[in-house]
Amino acid sequence: MDTLSYKTISANKETVQKEWVVIDATDQVVGRLCSKVAKLIRGKYKPSFTPHVDCGDNVIIINAAKVVFTGKKETDKVYTRYTGYPGGQRFTTPAQLRQRNGGVERMIRHAVKGMLPKGRLGRHLIDNLYVYEGTEHPHEAQKPKAIDINQYK
């Protein structure tokens, strides 16, 4: 009897093909951008995707200061953090975060981290994200390729 000669290929750390990609975040909606970035970091767009392995790409986001929120989220959305002390709950809005040094990076990182798996793999995957507010980034030696994020679903 004839059987199919296909074999399921499970990628591992040594066989993964990782790439460096640059995404221009100018006039992109934060949530939509971050969901696509999370898929790129996870490796979901690759045919060799394996759920328990870091098989995604290293993603560099430039012009992060030019991302936008839809509706009134810029002023009404609230980020909550806790200092660890009694009465130490702190609340900030995206408009307030934009004023701070590194605030835009914190917004994007927070959104992407929430879309990654929880646990050891997710904590490892978030290190593959690099966010820069301007157009300059120090990763030219990796020869990243620029991609249009709007082509991805």
Side-chain angles (χ1 to χ4, degrees), residues 24-144:
D24 188 4
T26 305
D27 296 328
Q28 296 286 329
V29 178
V30 173
R32 294 166 197 251
L33 169 75
C34 291
S35 67
K36 294 171 185 176
V37 167
K39 280 186 180 179
L40 280 170
I41 290 173
R42 185 92 198 272
K44 287 266 195 155
Y45 291 114
K46 294 185 176 185
S48 62
F49 170 69
T50 307
H52 63 280
V53 177
D54 174 14
C55 54
D57 297 331
N58 293 302
V59 177
I60 304 164
I61 298 177
I62 58 172
N63 293 322
K66 297 178 183 174
V67 295
V68 295
F69 282 95
T70 58
K72 294 195 236 174
K73 292 189 197 87
E74 187 77 31
T75 56
D76 293 355
K77 183 178 175 68
V78 176
Y79 292 107
T80 306
R81 64 186 178 86
Y82 181 58
T83 62
Y85 289 95
Q89 213 171 15
R90 303 290 185 250
F91 305 100
T92 54
T93 64
Q96 293 168 340
L97 269 178
R98 282 185 193 272
Q99 306 302 319
R100 290 191 193 149
N101 193 12
V104 176
E105 177 186 359
R106 191 174 296 145
M107 273 192 309
I108 292 177
R109 236 173 225 293
H110 181 269
V112 172
K113 185 179 178 185
M115 299 174 192
L116 291 175
K118 308 323 182 243
R120 267 195 296 189
L121 180 62
R123 288 190 298 271
H124 179 71
L125 288 174
I126 195 67
D127 293 336
N128 295 336
L129 176 65
Y130 303 89
V131 183
Y132 300 101
E133 294 187 18
T135 56
E136 299 297 319
H137 62 86
H139 303 286
E140 290 300 327
Q142 281 76 24
K143 297 187 181 91

Side-chain angles (χ1 to χ4, degrees), residues 4-19:
L4 290 175
S5 62
Y6 299 117
K7 292 197 177 193
T8 302
I9 298 171
S10 182
N12 59 23
K13 197 170 20 174
E14 289 79 27
T15 62
V16 166
Q17 300 290 325
K18 292 177 73 73
E19 297 177 343

